[in-house]
Amino acid sequence: MRDAAQTLRADIDRCLDRSLDALLPTAPGRLVEAMRYSLLAPGKRLRPMLVVLACRAAGGDPSAAIHAGCAVEMIHTYSLIHDDLPAMDDDDLRRGIPTCHRKFGEAMGILAGDALLTLAFETLASSYPPKIASVCIKELAVGAGASGMVGGQVLDLAAEGRIEGIAVPRTLDDLEKIHLGKTGGLYRASLRMGLAVARADTENGIPESLTIAFDRFSRGFGLAFQIADDLLDVESSSELEGKRVGKDAARGKLTFPGLMGIDASRTLAANLYREAIDSLAGIGPLAEPLAELARQRIRG
Ligand code: GRG
């Protein structure tokens, strides 16, 4: 029997598929093919699940949050496509299949990423009433932009000595800052969009207490997720991960295991997941599926 997470993932994929179909009458078919190739490749759909579960935790209708979930998955996929390009990480494998630019060529890789980035905002603008749409658009733009994911990526490249004019990040505090932007930006936006879908259009608006709890959750969850990803790069295989591993050490990248060792990194990740779960304590049973998602990550 299918579990709830599998059903939710299938609902998300159906919604992503439909968003791409809607482009077909007006967009070049080959562009939509490249977008579909990467967007529907077998990823975990973790960010859309967080949007939906956050909406539920905030007392909203989870099915209403699927479009916001699709929007963050579009941004996430664009970031993966661009991160794999020769000018960034220059990778051949992603989600178990050749990277977008390997399959469709570099120019199409850049453009498929660009088109997914813009489709995310079109999806939000056309799926929600103005109040909800405007909050979601702002949260996603902040999370994905210069103060979030793109800013974090710049600092990450600076740590590899690949960006001029920025002091090279070296410390644990620097690393935390990189990942609060690069990975954490989209997690924070996911939780805040789920909250907006549930509450932005209600009489009392978005309660500050839930914003604080969800920000704490996404901080802990995002950092723990990144530490776990650093550990996979050291400990796992390409076959299992569907992407190149072992590349961080080869590049002299700033990572948690590199700075504090494998055992301390593992302990820190588990503690951060626990902090994320604790931040939901005051919300009650509606937040249980969100807490369970973090618990599953501790179990691995
Ligand atoms: C190039 C604009 C631009 C940004 C790049 C987020 C990012 C910045 C690059 C993506 C590559 C990367 C290693 C990001 C760190 C976060 C991470 C581990 C992403 C992979 O997320 P998963 O594991 O992937 O959720 P799936 O495929 O399951 O969706």
Side-chain angles (χ1 to χ4, degrees):
M1 217 178 70
R2 274 186 150 195
D3 70 5
Q6 273 178 315
T7 304
L8 179 52
R9 248 182 245 121
D11 290 346
I12 292 160
D13 279 5
R14 213 170 304 116
C15 186
L16 292 171
D17 202 35
R18 282 200 206 112
S19 309
L20 294 170
D21 283 347
L23 294 173
L24 282 172
T26 47
R30 184 72 173 162
L31 173 62
V32 179
E33 198 188 329
M35 294 161 77
R36 195 186 304 273
Y37 175 81
S38 292
L39 187 61
L40 286 170
K44 295 182 282 302
R45 312 291 185 254
L46 208 47
R47 295 152 191 82
M49 288 171 77
L50 285 171
V51 177
V52 169
L53 298 181
C55 177
R56 181 176 176 175
D61 167 11
S63 66
I66 287 212
H67 301 288
C70 288
V72 72
E73 187 67 15
M74 288 166 191
I75 301 270
H76 170 56
T77 305
Y78 124 73
S79 83
L80 298 179
I81 295 175
H82 281 197
D83 192 60
D84 291 333
L85 287 168
M88 300 270 183
D89 263 9
D90 195 11
D91 269 314
D92 295 337
L93 194 64
R94 171 69 69 181
R95 292 178 161 173
I97 54 175
T99 47
C100 191
H101 71 278
R102 284 276 168 243
K103 169 97 177 158
F104 292 90
E106 195 176 342
M108 190 61 105
I110 293 169
L111 293 167
D114 292 341
L116 285 169
L117 167 61
T118 46
L119 182 60
F121 293 103
E122 181 185 335
T123 300
L124 291 173
S126 56
S127 304
Y128 296 108
K131 234 192 228 168
I132 295 177
S134 68
V135 176
C136 287
I137 287 168
K138 184 186 162 216
E139 294 300 348
L140 194 55
V142 170
S147 306
M149 182 180 75
V150 172
Q153 173 78 347
V154 167
L155 296 176
D156 201 26
L157 291 176
E160 287 181 44
R162 294 170 63 194
I163 302 264
E164 284 173 18
I166 296 182
V168 178
R170 295 181 196 285
T171 65
L172 211 49
D173 280 352
D174 295 337
L175 185 59
E176 193 175 301
K177 189 167 172 213
I178 290 173
H179 292 305
L180 283 175
K182 179 176 162 175
T183 318
L186 289 193
Y187 282 125
R188 189 172 127 122
S190 298
L191 272 287
R192 283 182 166 222
M193 285 199 295
L195 178 53
V197 172
R199 298 293 190 98
D201 235 359
T202 59
E203 202 184 323
N204 295 327
I206 297 175
E208 205 190 338
S209 59
L210 281 180
T211 306
I212 292 169
F214 283 6
D215 282 357
R216 277 188 57 212
F217 179 91
S218 49
R219 184 185 185 284
F221 190 94
L223 282 173
F225 175 90
Q226 186 57 53
I227 297 170
D229 192 66
D230 283 358
L231 285 165
L232 289 178
D233 191 73
V234 180
E235 299 181 312
S236 192
S237 69
S238 256
E239 291 73 36
L240 275 178
E241 299 312 312
K243 63 180 181 180
R244 185 157 54 104
V245 297
K247 60 185 178 182
D248 294 348
R251 286 214 169 127
K253 237 175 135 80
L254 197 62
T255 65
F256 287 95
L259 281 181
M260 58 195 307
I262 289 183
D263 288 345
S265 299
R266 236 185 246 130
T267 306
L268 180 59
N271 287 344
L272 284 163
Y273 276 131
R274 274 187 213 103
E275 270 176 36
I277 294 163
D278 289 349
S279 71
L280 304 176
I283 300 178
L286 283 176
E288 185 46 36
L290 189 55
E292 183 53 26
L293 192 72
R295 267 186 226 113
Q296 281 168 9
R297 308 270 328 157
I298 300 179
R299 291 195 291 268

